[in-house]
């Protein structure tokens, strides 16, 4: 709850924005400098092994019919629990017991991050917004602690295919408020964790996914994955452990919403990615200038 309060304070008086041209524009700009032959889609990692040439290099294999590819740096831009599964592939191939123990420490640390199912619905159902127009904001948070659990979200208040249980916090973002061109005749809304069923006739799309939860355990281990940017001197964490000491071992780094301060949101993905890029650039003797 502290992170939620911090988020409200940190964004008070500010608008909430989305990419007006859609995520495809973001993908196009990020991938523009890359050679098409270097982009591999739908390529599951089947093996992850240390290179016999150097312990800091990693071999990744994407198909049993193709040879492994050697990488100097591996960035796992995924959920912590999925990153842990990939590290188990690496741990099981390490020849030294000490190395396997060190890799297990990273796996255990990743296990501190818990996940909860999350539903996002894009729609035009304004009944999920405050009735009084003056009470509406870019982001509208709703909870129903006083209502009977059987009055919402299905029998027993356990949620349904289209709703979360009433213990969740419903968030409705008025996308067309900051991007008027997205609202053609009616508001374009995005509701996260709907407790009240969105009118099926007004639903544009809905997607279930997992979102990292902030817990005391995850907050305690998070500093070990935190890399400060190039201008910041790394402070000492608890128990004398260096901030970010679990990053970069054997050339493997982690980025994601879970790998930054506050509520796990897309902003955390960007922050953690900037820090990892800065760390890799520094290791390679290069300079990085982030213009924002």
């Amino acid at each position: 709850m502290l992170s939620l309060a911090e988020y409200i304070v940190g964004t008070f008086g500010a608008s909430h924005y989305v990419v007006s041209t859609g995520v495809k524009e973001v993908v196009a700009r990020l991938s523009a400098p890359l050679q098409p032959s270097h982009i591999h889609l739908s390529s599951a990692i089947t093996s992850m092994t240390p290179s016999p040439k150097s312990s800091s290099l990693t071999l990744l294999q994407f198909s049993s019919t193709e040879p492994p590819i050697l990488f100097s740096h591996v960035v796992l831009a995924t959920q912590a629990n999925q990153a842990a599964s990939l590290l188990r592939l690496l741990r099981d191939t390490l020849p030294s017991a000490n190395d396997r123990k060190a890799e297990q420490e990273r796996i255990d640390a990743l296990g501190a991050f818990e996940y909860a199912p999350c539903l996002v619905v894009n729609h035009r159902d304004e009944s999920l917004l405050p009735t009084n127009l003056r009470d509406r904001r870019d982001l509208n948070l709703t909870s129903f602690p006083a209502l009977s659990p059987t009055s919402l979200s299905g029998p027993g208040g356990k949620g349904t295919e289209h709703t979360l249980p009433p213990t969740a916090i419903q968030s409705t973002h008025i996308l067309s408020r900051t991007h008027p061109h997205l609202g053609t005749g009616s508001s374009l809304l995005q509701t996260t964790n709907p407790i009240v069923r969105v009118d099926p006739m007004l639903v544009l799309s809905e997607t279930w996914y997992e979102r990292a939860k902030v817990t005391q355990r995850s907050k305690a281990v998070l500093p070990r994955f935190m890399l400060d940017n190039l201008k910041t001197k790394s402070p000492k964490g608890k128990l004398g452990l260096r901030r970010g000491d679990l990053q970069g071992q054997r050339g493997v780094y982690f980025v994601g919403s879970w790998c930054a301060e506050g509520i796990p949101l897309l902003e955390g993905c960007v922050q953690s990615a900037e820090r990892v890029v800065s760390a890799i650039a520094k290791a390679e003797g290069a300079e990085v200038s982030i213009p924002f």
Side-chain angles (χ1 to χ4, degrees), residues 14 16 39 42 65 75-76 87 95 120 169 178 196 201 204 213 215 220-221 228 232 243 247 282:
H16 296 75
I39 301 175
S42 301
T65 60
V75 180
L76 299 180
L87 285 191
V120 174
I169 296 179
T178 51
V196 177
M201 299 299 295
L204 302 175
K213 298 193 301 182
T215 65
V221 77
D228 298 308
T232 304
R243 280 173 67 95
Q247 292 272 22
K282 185 177 181 180

Side-chain angles (χ1 to χ4, degrees), residues 87-278:
L87 285 191
R88 291 187 187 98
L89 298 176
L90 178 60
R91 175 202 61 193
D92 294 342
T93 61
L94 295 173
S96 165
N98 288 334
D99 287 343
R100 291 193 296 272
K101 181 179 179 181
E103 205 58 65
Q104 184 61 48
E105 183 180 6
R106 283 208 292 184
I107 294 171
D108 292 341
L110 290 168
F113 297 89
E114 302 177 13
Y115 285 80
C118 183
L119 174 63
V120 174
V121 183
N122 294 309
H123 62 94
R124 299 189 184 277
D125 186 358
E126 295 191 11
S127 69
L128 275 71
L129 295 173
T131 305
N132 193 326
L133 296 179
R134 292 179 299 179
D135 292 334
R136 297 184 180 183
R137 300 293 185 268
D138 293 351
L139 198 62
N140 302 271
L141 304 179
T142 308
S143 62
F144 300 95
L147 295 181
S148 166
T150 58
S151 64
L152 295 168
S153 306
K158 296 182 179 180
T160 69
E161 181 183 354
H162 306 285
T163 61
L164 272 289
T167 52
I169 296 179
Q170 176 179 291
S171 170
T172 298
H173 185 183
I174 307 178
L175 300 177
S176 53
R177 187 183 179 100
T178 51
H179 300 75
H181 67 282
L182 296 178
T184 54
S186 59
S187 299
L188 176 60
L189 311 174
Q190 184 177 85
T191 296
T192 302
N193 291 346
I195 302 172
V196 177
R197 174 74 186 274
V198 179
D199 185 343
M201 299 299 295
L202 300 176
V203 171
L204 302 175
S205 65
E206 61 179 24
T207 303
W208 281 95
Y209 68 100
E210 287 187 322
R211 170 170 283 174
K213 298 193 301 182
V214 177
T215 65
Q216 291 297 329
R217 186 177 173 218
S218 68
K219 291 186 72 170
V221 77
L222 178 61
R224 302 192 66 186
F225 291 96
M226 295 286 294
L227 284 170
D228 298 308
N229 60 40
L230 293 175
K231 297 180 180 179
T232 304
K233 183 179 179 180
S234 297
K236 294 290 183 178
K238 291 184 178 180
L239 304 178
L241 296 173
R242 180 174 57 83
R243 280 173 67 95
D245 70 298
L246 296 180
Q247 292 272 22
Q249 294 181 15
R250 277 174 281 280
V252 178
Y253 295 84
F254 310 91
V255 303
S257 62
W258 59 274
C259 207
E261 307 93 327
I263 298 177
L265 297 170
L266 292 178
E267 292 84 348
C269 298
V270 175
Q271 291 175 351
S272 58
E274 289 176 350
R275 290 165 176 165
V276 165
V277 168
S278 296

